[in-house]
Amino acid sequence: LQSSSQTQGAVFDCQDTTQAFHFTSTSAPGISLIGLIFQRCYASVGGGGCVQFTNSSAVFLHTTIFSRCSAVGSGGAVLVELTGPARNVSVIIENTIWADCYTINPQAGSSLGSAHGGALAVNFASEANNASVSLRGNNLFSGTLASGRGGAVAVHFGAGAQDCIVGVYDSCTFENTGAELSGQGGALSVFFDAEANRSRVEWNGEHSIAHSAADADGGVVHVGFWERSENCSVEIAGASNFSHVRNRGSGGAVAVEFFRPS
């Protein structure tokens, strides 16, 4: 989908009543959203307040704005979900704006959040191989909040992920983002289930982070590798500026954990 306007993108205003799109693919083609505006979208079940992608081999979001969107479940604005083996799948986020998006915990009253990714959630259920999630260009996340992991962005890999990468590049801004209900990663959370191999997370560029908070570990970034993961790495490089960051666990700004069986 691409806006035909040269001055203002096509606007999808859901008036806090419904999700705008749910793309479901059996043949797994790629889907792009370019130059669009989504506002006041709401998903009452399943996640992805504005848009949900199910089993797409490639998702490309470019110069698109998501404003005041919410979901009961993961992905306050967008949920990308691969329910089966995810091979050669790419998710690219480029020059986007996400403002005042949030998730609502579907388990009302629970102190443990399960609605991850205040703006964006990506879930590879199993057997991800050569799968990637990349944030490129100038992306802005402002006022996003998760009732779980990843105040702005949450990425989850099921067991057995191989040769997978999550990268935050160029110049991204995270301001007033947060992970509540024992959530980790005030801005970004990446979690690998057991037996990940040759997979990595890269945070490289000139990023600006202000007023990011986590209810648990990693005031800005949290990366977790579960048991029997091998040859995996996390790289933090570039000239990022962290200010007014707080958390209630380990890693004031960044927490990396390799979990071992007890």
Side-chain angles (χ1 to χ4, degrees):
L1 294 177
Q2 182 171 359
S3 175
S4 60
S5 173
Q6 297 298 315
T7 58
Q8 180 178 356
V11 178
F12 298 89
D13 187 342
C14 299
Q15 300 182 22
D16 297 319
T17 60
T18 188
Q19 184 183 64
F21 295 103
H22 184 180
F23 297 101
T24 302
S25 174
T26 55
S27 57
I31 299 175
S32 299
L33 301 181
I34 301 173
L36 306 177
I37 299 173
F38 295 90
Q39 60 190 35
R40 298 191 300 172
C41 298
Y42 171 70
S44 60
V45 64
C50 295
V51 185
Q52 182 174 351
F53 301 90
T54 303
N55 297 329
S56 296
S57 63
V59 173
F60 179 50
L61 307 182
H62 178 72
T63 57
T64 291
I65 298 172
F66 303 91
S67 176
R68 292 180 292 165
C69 300
S70 60
V72 180
S74 295
V78 173
L79 172 63
V80 180
E81 190 163 36
L82 282 298
T83 59
R87 295 182 174 88
N88 303 312
V89 173
S90 67
V91 179
I92 299 174
I93 312 300
E94 187 175 78
N95 299 331
T96 57
I97 296 174
W98 315 67
D100 301 318
C101 299
Y102 62 94
T103 64
I104 302 167
N105 194 20
Q107 301 174 350
S110 173
S111 61
L112 184 62
S114 59
H116 312 301
L120 168 68
V122 181
N123 180 34
F124 300 101
S126 65
E127 299 180 37
N129 192 316
N130 195 35
S132 65
V133 179
S134 301
L135 275 64
R136 303 175 180 174
N138 299 298
N139 295 289
L140 168 64
F141 297 86
S142 177
T144 63
L145 181 66
S147 295
R149 296 192 303 267
V153 179
V155 182
H156 168 254
F157 292 90
Q162 296 191 47
D163 300 302
C164 296
I165 181 170
V166 176
V168 182
Y169 307 112
D170 301 320
S171 180
C172 293
T173 299
F174 300 87
E175 57 185 27
N176 297 307
T177 62
E180 295 186 329
L181 297 180
S182 300
Q184 300 163 314
L188 170 68
S189 168
V190 183
F191 195 89
F192 292 84
D193 285 345
E195 300 178 343
N197 194 8
R198 300 186 304 275
S199 295
R200 65 190 188 276
V201 176
E202 297 180 347
W203 176 283
N204 198 333
E206 298 183 2
H207 309 302
S208 176
I209 303 92
H211 301 282
S212 177
D215 203 29
D217 307 315
V220 177
V221 177
H222 177 267
V223 182
F225 296 94
W226 200 245
E227 60 190 37
R228 300 187 300 279
S229 292
E230 299 180 343
N231 306 308
C232 296
S233 64
V234 177
E235 176 185 299
I236 306 291
S240 293
N241 181 30
F242 299 86
S243 67
H244 299 91
V245 173
R246 61 183 177 84
N247 72 328
R248 295 182 179 177
S250 60
V254 179
V256 180
E257 298 181 279
F258 288 84
F259 299 94
R260 303 297 184 193
S262 58

